[in-house]
Amino acid sequence: MLKMLLPIDGSTACNNAVSQFIELLGWYKEAPEIHLLNVQFPFHGDVSLFVDQESIKQYHLDEGLKDLNKARELLDQAGIAYQYHVVVGDAAKMIVQFATEHACDQIVIGPRGLGTVQGLLLGSVASKLIHLSPIPILLIK
């Protein structure tokens, strides 16, 4: 069974890519194992001096679940099984790390999302992934 990783940032472009991916599932002989991954940006500075680690962890989880909400809803409506994960760090590096550690066969992303550089033909995270990932990437518009 193929393992597919769908990085999810909660953007409209990302949710459109999930919708398109659902339509493309007929390409595969059998339904792939799908993992949704949301990467939260870490706090900068000395936030931990003022807020305990458990509260920070809960904040990242809550925000990640908000970002995953629409993608999960789309997959649930289509009756497609998936697992979801929320991690903290640099988006491109964490996506590659997760995909490698979980032996994913493909990373499926939209060409643009909520990256720091908007308005480019190819978003900054997608561009970094293409350079960093040893795992094939499927860009879905």
Side-chain angles (χ1 to χ4, degrees), residues 3 5 7 35 37 39 85-107 125 128-129 131-135 137:
K3 283 187 183 179
L5 176 61
H35 292 268
L37 178 67
V39 182
H85 316 270
V86 177
V87 297
V88 178
D90 175 77
K93 289 178 185 175
M94 295 306 293
I95 292 166
V96 171
Q97 179 180 331
F98 184 94
T100 304
E101 288 175 358
H102 289 82
C104 292
D105 298 296
Q106 191 171 49
I107 299 171
V125 173
K128 285 180 187 176
L129 277 177
H131 294 331
L132 290 176
S133 180
I135 296 163
I137 298 171

Side-chain angles (χ1 to χ4, degrees), residues 8-9 17 26 31 34-35 49 52 56 96 100 102 110-111 113 122 126 133:
I8 305 295
D9 64 7
I34 297 172
H35 292 268
L49 293 175
D52 64 278
I56 293 171
V96 171
T100 304
H102 289 82
L122 188 62
S133 180

